[in-house]
């Protein structure tokens, strides 16, 4: 198939591109390189089945050109930083909601009917049911980022039903692995490189979430997408995560150990009862029963994924 991957030079996007290229598809990447990096896709530059467009999806013309002639869009372009919501809500709106609207309009105009979208566990907010299933409600995001992802999901559902499209949404847990350039593991490694004796941990360190390695994530997305193609459904939603969780303090211990260090931990205490920042969900575990029933399950648990990611980011793997 001929596929457009928005955000295809980014962390998750570039791993998806690798897999799509290895499977023999024609792949076009649209990325503004604000967080993505050409290095992530350099092995494909110049390949006859590969095309790269540098462009900002806030520009409708850029999006329209990018969707021309493709059958499927994997929409991963986004600003993924939950923590900037209190300072920059407008940026999160534009880079999650507005660009999704621009994409849907371009797809409608260019007759592109198939869409896969990476949403987030943050749409559930502080779920009272753990593990949280896809049909949990009412949904009450506690961050602007989670609200923006939920708004994007809603637009996609509306467009899919109105304009005869097929769309699948993945609500991702905390995704980690090689090429990630933000998030808790990346932060801890950088902090320890600057000061190997002490490590500042935002919040109280008890934030407990499910982490999934990017290799498992990309496998889930492609497997569930292919299953979705077999079904007579307009719209579907899947949680994608691991089946356990790990605390921020345990992550700090793993990072320290892998770096051969024994730093003093300093907890900032954070905001609103030990959160790293406003809108930081303290406890997150997704039910992945629906994805499992469709034949996917993760190979690594949260701890294994964290350990592997630390080694990858340190260049040991
Ligand atoms: O220096 C730091 C950095 C982070 N944390 C803590 O580590 C946890 C994880 O933070 P990340 O920044 O790694 O990730 P988030 O949970 O904020 O969000 C991530 O996972 C979400 C889905 O679960 C979204 O998809 C989002 O885009 C993605 O960044 C948080 O509880 C945070 O408080 C610290 O204690 N110290």
């Amino acid at each position: 198939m001929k596929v457009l991957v928005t955000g295809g030079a980014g962390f998750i996007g570039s791993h998806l591109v690798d897999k799509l290229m290895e499977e023999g598809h024609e792949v076009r990447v649209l990325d503004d390189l604000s967080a993505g990096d050409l290095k992530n896709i350099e092995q494909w530059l110049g390949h006859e089945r590969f095309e790269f467009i540098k462009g900002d999806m806030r520009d409708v013309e850029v999006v329209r050109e990018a969707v021309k002639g493709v059958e499927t869009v994997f929409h991963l372009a986004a600003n993924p930083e939950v923590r900037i919501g209190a300072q920059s809500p407008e940026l999160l709106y534009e880079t999650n909601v507005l660009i999704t609207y621009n994409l849907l309009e371009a797809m409608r105009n260019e007759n592109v009917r198939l869409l896969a979208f990476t949403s987030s566990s943050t749409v559930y907010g502080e779920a009272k049911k753990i593990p949280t299933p896809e049909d949990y409600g009412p949904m009450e995001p506690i961050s602007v980022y989670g609200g923006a992802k939920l708004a994007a999901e809603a637009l996609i559902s509306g467009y899919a039903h109105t304009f005869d499209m097929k769309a699948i949404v993945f609500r991702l847990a905390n995704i980690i692995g090689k090429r990630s350039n933000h998030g808790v593991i990346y932060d801890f490694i950088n902090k320890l490189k600057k000061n190997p004796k002490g490590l500042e941990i935002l919040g109280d360190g008890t934030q407990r979430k499910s982490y999934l390695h990017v290799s498992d994530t990309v496998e889930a997305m492609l497997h569930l997408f292919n299953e979705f193609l077999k079904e007579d459904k307009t719209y579907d939603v899947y949680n994608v995560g691991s089946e356990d969780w790990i605390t921020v303090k345990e992550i700090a211990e793993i990072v320290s150990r892998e770096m051969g260090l024994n730093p003093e931990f300093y907890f900032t205490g954070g905001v609103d009862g030990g959160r790293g920042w406003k809108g930081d969900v303290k406890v997150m575990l997704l039910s992945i029963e629906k994805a499992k029933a469709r034949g996917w399950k993760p190979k690594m648990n949260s701890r294994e994924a964290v350990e592997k990611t630390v080694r990858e980011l340190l260049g040991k793997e």
Side-chain angles (χ1 to χ4, degrees), residues 21-315:
M21 286 298 291
E22 283 157 18
E23 288 181 2
H25 300 290
E26 275 183 69
V27 179
R28 181 183 292 159
V29 164
L30 172 61
D31 200 302
D32 67 356
L33 299 181
S34 59
D37 192 327
L38 273 185
K39 267 197 228 132
N40 293 340
I41 49 170
E42 71 185 348
Q43 61 167 320
W44 306 117
L45 296 171
H47 193 290
E48 56 177 11
R49 282 188 283 107
F50 185 78
E51 191 186 343
F52 173 70
I53 302 173
K54 181 174 184 296
D56 185 330
M57 292 184 69
R58 285 172 288 200
D59 182 339
V60 288
E61 277 312 311
V62 164
V63 185
R64 193 155 175 171
E65 278 308 307
V67 302
K68 268 192 185 141
V70 304
E71 283 160 65
T72 304
V73 180
F74 279 84
H75 178 38
L76 282 80
N79 185 319
E81 290 287 6
V82 180
R83 62 183 93 176
I84 66 169
Q87 294 76 41
S88 312
E90 187 180 357
L91 182 62
L92 287 183
Y93 162 73
E94 287 182 354
T95 55
N96 289 288
V97 189
L98 177 65
I99 67 169
T100 301
Y101 166 73
N102 286 348
L103 175 66
L104 289 164
E105 272 295 281
M107 289 176 68
R108 176 167 83 92
N109 286 317
E110 296 297 329
N111 254 316
V112 181
R113 300 266 174 239
L114 207 46
L115 174 64
F117 173 63
T118 44
S119 184
S120 160
S121 72
T122 57
V123 295
Y124 296 115
E126 222 132 38
K128 290 182 190 74
K129 188 167 181 195
I130 301 264
T132 311
E134 289 86 351
D135 59 2
Y136 174 83
M139 283 151 116
E140 189 181 336
I142 62 163
S143 61
V144 173
Y145 170 82
K149 282 292 190 189
L150 187 54
E153 285 188 16
L155 270 179
I156 290 170
S157 172
Y159 264 73
H161 285 281
T162 308
F163 300 112
D164 213 12
M165 295 175 175
K166 250 175 106 67
I168 181 167
V169 167
F170 304 108
R171 293 186 182 142
L172 305 181
N174 284 41
I175 310 305
I176 53 176
K178 198 185 274 183
R179 302 177 193 158
S180 63
N181 58 359
H182 84 122
V184 62
I185 299 175
Y186 177 85
D187 287 349
F188 283 170
I189 289 176
N190 285 333
K191 284 181 187 174
L192 284 170
K193 278 185 179 162
K194 277 199 202 119
N195 175 15
K197 295 209 170 91
L199 177 62
E200 179 201 68
I201 297 175
L202 303 177
D204 62 10
T206 66
Q207 303 97 307
R208 200 165 0 127
K209 310 195 200 202
S210 156
Y211 290 77
L212 184 71
H213 195 264
V214 67
S215 53
D216 275 326
T217 311
V218 165
E219 270 184 26
M221 287 171 63
L222 289 174
H223 177 83
L224 296 170
F225 177 78
N226 286 326
E227 291 295 303
F228 178 61
L229 288 186
K230 295 178 202 159
E231 286 179 311
D232 185 25
K233 269 190 184 165
T234 299
Y235 180 82
D236 211 355
V237 181
Y238 283 94
N239 287 339
V240 174
S242 55
E243 291 188 277
D244 65 346
W245 45 20
I246 192 163
T247 66
V248 165
K249 182 160 174 274
E250 287 172 291
I251 294 175
E253 285 161 359
I254 294 170
V255 175
S256 306
R257 196 187 62 227
E258 290 287 344
M259 291 178 82
L261 300 171
N262 190 17
E264 195 78 47
F265 292 163
Y266 303 103
F267 298 93
T268 65
V271 298
D272 299 344
R275 297 167 203 276
W277 44 79
K278 238 12 291 99
D280 185 22
V281 173
K282 274 203 89 176
V283 175
M284 183 274 290
L285 182 65
L286 302 175
S287 163
I288 55 165
E289 292 309 314
K290 187 173 169 186
K292 278 165 70 183
R294 287 255 146 220
W296 172 78
K297 70 173 190 324
K299 296 194 174 78
M300 279 174 257
N301 62 26
S302 290
R303 175 172 290 272
E304 289 162 341
V306 169
E307 288 171 344
K308 187 171 172 59
T309 299
V310 178
R311 291 196 295 272
E312 287 173 337
L313 294 187
L314 291 173

